[in-house]
């Protein structure tokens, strides 16, 4: 099991916890109470900084209930924090845009993250034809 060094910027939010068997996403919380008006953008502090291992990155996305509960969307849709963002003051934030007036209380769960290995080095091989079966183009679903 990998160990991740973490610094908390406040003792007023619950400590992060990995709940084995439930989900491999970990909830992040607002580190301060925030009031936002419809149409307002804000970087919401998450109260943590981490020193990720070399070759790993964190993917941050909203929780499934974030829009329903708070009326905000994450402006970059998915945040990526690489292992170079590891300084003592490199606090994580959620870039949020409010679609309605809202209040987020300190310690509310507003987003979630997971740690992923970096993509391996790739090389693209240009061809005239692909050998896979056509699935109908845009919007189709199926197995690769």
């Amino acid at each position: 099991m990998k160990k991740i060094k973490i610094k908390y910027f406040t003792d007023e939010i619950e400590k992060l916890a990995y709940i084995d068997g439930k989900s491999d996403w970990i909830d992040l919380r607002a580190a301060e109470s925030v009031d936002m008006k419809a149409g307002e953008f804000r970087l919401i502090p998450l109260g943590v900084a981490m020193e990720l291992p070399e070759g790993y990155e964190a993917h941050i996305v909203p929780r499934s209930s974030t829009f329903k509960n708070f009326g905000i969307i994450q402006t970059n849709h998915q945040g990526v924090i690489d292992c170079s963002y590891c300084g003592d003051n490199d606090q994580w934030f959620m870039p949020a845009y409010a679609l309605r007036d809202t209040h987020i209380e300190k310690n509310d769960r507003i987003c979630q993250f997971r740690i992923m290995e970096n993509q391996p080095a790739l090389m693209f091989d240009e061809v005239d034809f692909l050998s896979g079966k056509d699935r109908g183009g845009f919007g189709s679903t199926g197995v690769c």
Side-chain angles (χ1 to χ4, degrees), residues 125-134:
D125 184 18
E126 186 175 344
V127 298
D128 292 326
F129 301 97
L130 299 175
S131 60
K133 179 182 175 190
D134 284 339

Side-chain angles (χ1 to χ4, degrees), residues 27-39:
D27 290 336
L28 290 163
R29 299 170 180 273
E32 64 184 40
S33 294
V34 174
D35 288 304
M36 295 177 72
K37 298 287 186 196

Side-chain angles (χ1 to χ4, degrees), residues 89-136:
N89 292 306
D90 288 339
Q91 180 174 195
W92 293 12
F93 291 83
M94 178 187 183
Y97 181 79
L99 291 147
R100 61 175 156 87
D101 292 357
T102 191
H103 175 77
I104 301 166
E105 193 63 46
K106 183 187 301 181
N107 206 41
D108 280 343
R109 296 179 299 162
I110 58 171
C111 55
Q112 58 191 336
F113 79 101
R114 70 188 312 185
I115 306 291
M116 303 290 295
E117 282 190 81
N118 294 133
Q119 178 170 283
L122 301 171
M123 183 176 71
F124 294 98
D125 184 18
E126 186 175 344
V127 298
D128 292 326
F129 301 97
L130 299 175
S131 60
K133 179 182 175 190
D134 284 339
R135 297 182 333 179

